[in-house]
Amino acid sequence: MKLPYFFTVVIIADICHMSGAITLNMTCYYDTFSINRLGIANYTIKDLENGLPMCDNIIYGYVGIHPDTYEVITLHPLQSFQFALVKTLKSKYKKVKFILSLGGDKDWEKPEKYLNLLEAGVAQKHKFINSIRDILRKYKFDGFDLAYQLPKAFRQYGNRTSPGSRKTEYHRRQMTKLIENLGRLLNKENFMLSLTVLPNIAVKDHFNVTSIIHSVDFVTVAAFDFSLPQNTPKQAYYLAPLYAIPNVSIQYRQSNVFHVLDQWKWSERMPTKKLNLGIAVFGRTWDTTKTLKDPHMPITDFLNGPAPGGPRTRTPGLLAWPEICKKLPKISKVSKKKYGNYAYRPGFTKRDQGLLITYESPDSVLEKVKMAHSNGLGGVAIFDLTLDDFRGKCRGEKYVMLKAIRENLN
């Protein structure tokens, strides 16, 4: 017997649901500053094109705002060239959405202006919003991402607020209005709007989620960097633990991916399909003053701040995945399915400090993709393409981490 079309659709949909055939979106962050890196770390448009087919959204980081006019500005001379190629790339990769991002801790000139914008008048905020529309039109982007770095701005740029204060509530209201007004304008012109947020925040102190739900297409939670050598030079924790370790202080009990997602999902009622889980493809590093014979997280002894940067990143306390990959065969490693990975070695000489690395691996990112599925999230995001092994120098395969994620999205 031939089934009516309606019942055929229902049956197919039900089979897909029962089999768990849900595909997560893949959002790829692209640090445009990487074009300034030297040697094998220099990230070219060709390298970008090698990764684009595996991405659904590509987020170009980052532009900034002018401290006086609050208009969006480029942050290095080559960005205009990079943005000008968007139109050509869109014609080649028609399924990819190209999104321009603001902030991301890259806007170093007078960073307090991000707070100043929230406190500015209506005219200044309109100028900010209109400048976003103009730059998206100019370079043919598909949308805009606010990587506003809250609450980092409140901690670093003046003692102007505290949790629960009237000033905090004022900033929350102004941030909500800014997102709503920006979303309204971009929606009229068929542009997307997304947010990139830090993990260690009390969501309700900074966002009125109920009010902004309809203004944003998705929110990416950068759920990593729960422990940074710059912030805790004498203490280290997993880079992005999935769950809390038993019998640790409340600081560490709340420093995990599940806790972060729980805030957005339940405390603030964010639709899970609008949440992306951000995954790092880099590692954080500490110098060690003595041999770590049998370390257990959190590590609170024999650490001495950020280790020197690698030959690619040249940033203290940071190693890209290919830099980590080459070190791992030579040092001790610990891998915990629920928490993540770390590796360590003693110093080879009195002048050569030891090393501790907290990092993700192809196996641990798979666990995070599983979590995204089990929590009904809309997608995952990689931070970022330029820190993956985009030249295949370690294992002979390009984009090892991106592929490990992409292959498990279904």
Side-chain angles (χ1 to χ4, degrees):
M1 182 179 79
K2 188 175 180 180
L3 289 172
Y5 173 75
F6 170 76
F7 290 104
T8 305
V9 172
V10 170
I11 291 171
I12 292 173
D14 197 44
I15 291 171
C16 291
H17 175 73
M18 288 188 295
S19 64
I22 299 172
T23 301
L24 301 176
N25 286 317
M26 181 77 239
T27 296
C28 302
Y29 282 73
Y30 161 41
D31 183 358
T32 62
F33 286 72
S34 60
I35 198 172
N36 296 313
R37 294 177 191 154
L38 302 176
I40 58 173
N42 176 246
Y43 193 85
T44 67
I45 295 301
K46 182 180 179 181
D47 297 317
L48 177 61
E49 289 201 65
N50 288 335
L52 275 177
M54 290 180 277
C55 305
D56 298 305
N57 305 308
I58 179 77
I59 296 190
Y60 276 58
Y62 295 89
V63 289
I65 54 178
H66 193 282
D68 299 319
T69 66
Y70 299 113
E71 293 175 299
V72 173
I73 56 173
T74 55
L75 293 179
H76 68 75
L78 293 176
Q79 276 188 326
S80 296
F81 159 74
Q82 292 168 307
F83 298 167
L85 293 175
V86 167
K87 182 178 179 181
T88 301
L89 292 173
K90 284 178 64 175
S91 67
K92 295 176 67 175
Y93 305 96
K94 298 183 185 297
K95 295 183 179 180
V96 181
K97 298 297 184 184
F98 290 75
I99 299 170
L100 181 63
S101 187
L102 170 83
D105 208 24
K106 291 286 189 178
D107 195 4
W108 296 300
E109 184 192 3
K110 298 181 179 179
E112 67 275 8
K113 62 196 171 185
Y114 284 85
L115 272 185
N116 294 341
L117 174 60
L118 294 184
E119 298 171 359
V122 173
Q124 290 95 330
K125 288 171 181 167
H126 280 169
K127 188 171 287 189
F128 169 70
I129 291 172
N130 289 336
S131 72
I132 291 173
R133 175 200 59 201
D134 294 343
I135 196 169
L136 297 184
R137 283 176 175 176
K138 179 178 180 180
Y139 292 113
K140 310 301 181 186
F141 280 100
D142 295 300
F144 197 75
D145 174 73
L146 281 177
Y148 219 80
Q149 296 287 291
L150 297 173
K152 199 171 185 178
F154 298 127
R155 291 199 302 265
Q156 291 186 350
Y157 311 134
N159 187 20
R160 294 150 70 171
T161 186
S162 60
S165 69
R166 290 184 179 180
K167 200 68 171 179
T168 297
E169 178 57 28
Y170 170 73
H171 285 138
R172 180 175 179 263
R173 289 198 309 269
Q174 294 305 314
M175 190 69 190
T176 300
K177 287 181 182 178
L178 188 68
I179 292 170
E180 288 177 328
N181 291 335
L182 178 57
R184 194 174 298 116
L185 176 67
L186 296 186
N187 183 59
K188 285 181 181 178
E189 305 222 5
N190 294 317
F191 290 125
M192 300 170 67
L193 175 62
S194 63
L195 303 180
T196 299
V197 298
L198 297 173
N200 293 319
I201 69 171
V203 177
K204 64 181 180 181
D205 285 342
H206 302 291
F207 302 101
N208 185 332
V209 175
T210 303
S211 297
I212 67 173
I213 281 174
H214 303 294
S215 299
V216 298
D217 291 275
F218 58 86
V219 174
T220 298
V221 182
F224 48 83
D225 278 349
F226 290 99
S227 179
L228 285 169
Q230 289 84 356
N231 296 345
T232 57
K234 305 294 184 182
Q235 298 182 35
Y237 194 52
Y238 289 102
L239 179 72
L242 284 173
Y243 304 101
I245 298 176
N247 304 318
V248 294
S249 67
I250 189 169
Q251 170 194 351
Y252 294 113
R253 286 204 303 271
Q254 294 181 349
S255 297
N256 61 81
V257 175
F258 183 83
H259 176 76
V260 170
L261 293 179
D262 195 48
Q263 279 201 76
W264 285 93
K265 284 172 54 184
W266 300 114
S267 301
E268 301 305 319
R269 304 293 181 184
M270 184 72 182
T272 54
K273 285 301 176 185
K274 286 195 174 186
L275 277 177
N276 287 341
L277 175 60
I279 301 173
V281 295
F282 55 79
R284 296 297 183 182
T285 61
W286 283 257
D287 268 337
T288 61
T289 58
K290 292 185 179 181
T291 301
L292 301 172
K293 293 182 179 179
D294 187 23
H296 296 279
M297 287 293 179
I299 297 172
T300 57
D301 295 316
F302 310 137
L303 300 180
N304 192 33
R312 287 171 175 259
T313 54
R314 305 190 181 190
T315 303
L318 174 71
L319 289 178
W321 168 248
E323 294 170 325
I324 297 169
C325 180
K326 289 200 171 185
K327 290 181 181 294
L328 292 180
K330 305 173 185 177
I331 60 181
S332 300
K333 297 175 287 295
V334 177
S335 179
K336 302 282 188 180
K337 208 169 188 180
K338 292 184 177 181
Y339 312 123
N341 314 286
Y342 59 96
Y344 56 95
R345 66 162 171 79
F348 295 112
T349 68
K350 290 183 178 180
R351 297 180 61 187
D352 181 22
Q353 293 290 88
L355 177 67
L356 170 70
I357 310 171
T358 60
Y359 66 99
E360 296 282 22
S361 68
D363 290 333
S364 66
V365 298
L366 173 58
E367 293 302 313
K368 289 180 168 57
V369 174
K370 288 179 181 178
M371 173 175 265
H373 271 298
S374 63
N375 282 269
L377 304 190
V380 295
I382 183 173
F383 289 79
D384 68 43
L385 292 178
T386 72
L387 296 176
D388 200 349
D389 193 359
F390 57 87
R391 297 278 174 85
K393 293 294 184 180
C394 186
R395 297 182 178 177
E397 181 183 8
K398 295 178 182 178
Y399 289 112
V400 171
M401 299 290 270
L402 175 60
K403 286 180 180 176
I405 296 171
R406 183 78 215 188
E407 289 170 358
N408 290 281
L409 292 186
N410 293 335

